[in-house]
Amino acid sequence: MDQFLRAAIEEAEQGLREAGIPIGSVLVYRGQVIGRGHNRRVQKGSVVLHGEMDALENAGRLSAAVYRECTLYTTLSPCPMCAGAILLYGIPKVIVGENRTFIGEEQLLRARGVQVDVLQDPACIALMTGFIAASPQLWNEDIGE
């Protein structure tokens, strides 16, 4: 398994241990993780702290030139909010752990020139299917249903 996807999965697992939603993400620049995070909506009472948003926040303020060389790894297909952040900052490549449990805005990202690779990783699928089965109400809240 790719080391960066493994890091995103570790973030998702941390979120689950914190009684949150198991979605993790890492932002990679020139082969180094510069930001990592996990969905912390439950833990922080936040409306916006999805895994991708948390990773971007934890990377800190960066120049546009840095974002344009980054790859964002995420355990689950990006929602509209996270896809918007990817487009806003010009991140050119997104590696998605899985999209069987949720298909986000992959078409929008691709239409805007972002390379989106979906891996259908068994660990990512297992994390989300288990979580959705155990906490459907929380999952529906997270995706706005």
Side-chain angles (χ1 to χ4, degrees), residues 57-120:
E57 178 70 15
N58 291 331
R61 194 169 148 208
L62 303 169
S63 74
V66 171
Y67 291 117
R68 286 193 294 264
E69 289 187 46
C70 285
T71 299
L72 183 73
Y73 286 74
T74 182
T75 58
L76 187 65
S77 186
C79 76
M81 174 180 64
C82 296
I86 290 163
L87 294 174
L88 178 67
Y89 292 108
I91 297 168
K93 185 174 182 179
V94 178
I95 307 295
V96 176
E98 69 101 355
N99 68 2
R100 289 186 185 167
T101 59
F102 176 78
I103 296 179
E105 295 297 326
E106 295 171 19
Q107 286 185 331
L108 171 65
L109 291 170
R110 288 183 180 112
R112 297 281 299 274
V114 176
Q115 179 183 335
V116 179
D117 297 338
V118 181
L119 305 179
Q120 303 302 12

Side-chain angles (χ1 to χ4, degrees), residues 12 16 19-24 38-42 47 49-52 74-82 96 98-106 124-145:
L16 190 58
I21 299 162
I23 303 168
H38 52 274
N39 186 306
R40 295 191 303 154
R41 290 185 66 247
V42 172
V47 69
L49 276 182
H50 282 189
E52 300 91 334
T74 182
T75 58
L76 187 65
S77 186
C79 76
M81 174 180 64
C82 296
V96 176
E98 69 101 355
N99 68 2
R100 289 186 185 167
T101 59
F102 176 78
I103 296 179
E105 295 297 326
E106 295 171 19
C124 294
I125 294 167
L127 268 171
M128 286 311 300
T129 55
F131 174 77
I132 292 167
S135 303
Q137 191 171 14
L138 185 54
W139 170 241
N140 288 336
E141 174 194 320
D142 195 64
I143 59 171
E145 289 191 2

Side-chain angles (χ1 to χ4, degrees), residues 12-54:
E13 292 168 341
Q14 179 64 30
L16 190 58
R17 283 191 296 275
E18 296 170 357
I21 299 162
I23 303 168
S25 185
V26 295
L27 186 65
V28 177
Y29 174 68
R30 296 184 177 175
Q32 298 291 317
V33 174
I34 60 170
R36 56 189 303 144
H38 52 274
N39 186 306
R40 295 191 303 154
R41 290 185 66 247
V42 172
Q43 300 91 315
K44 296 288 187 179
S46 171
V47 69
V48 296
L49 276 182
H50 282 189
E52 300 91 334
M53 302 299 279
D54 194 38

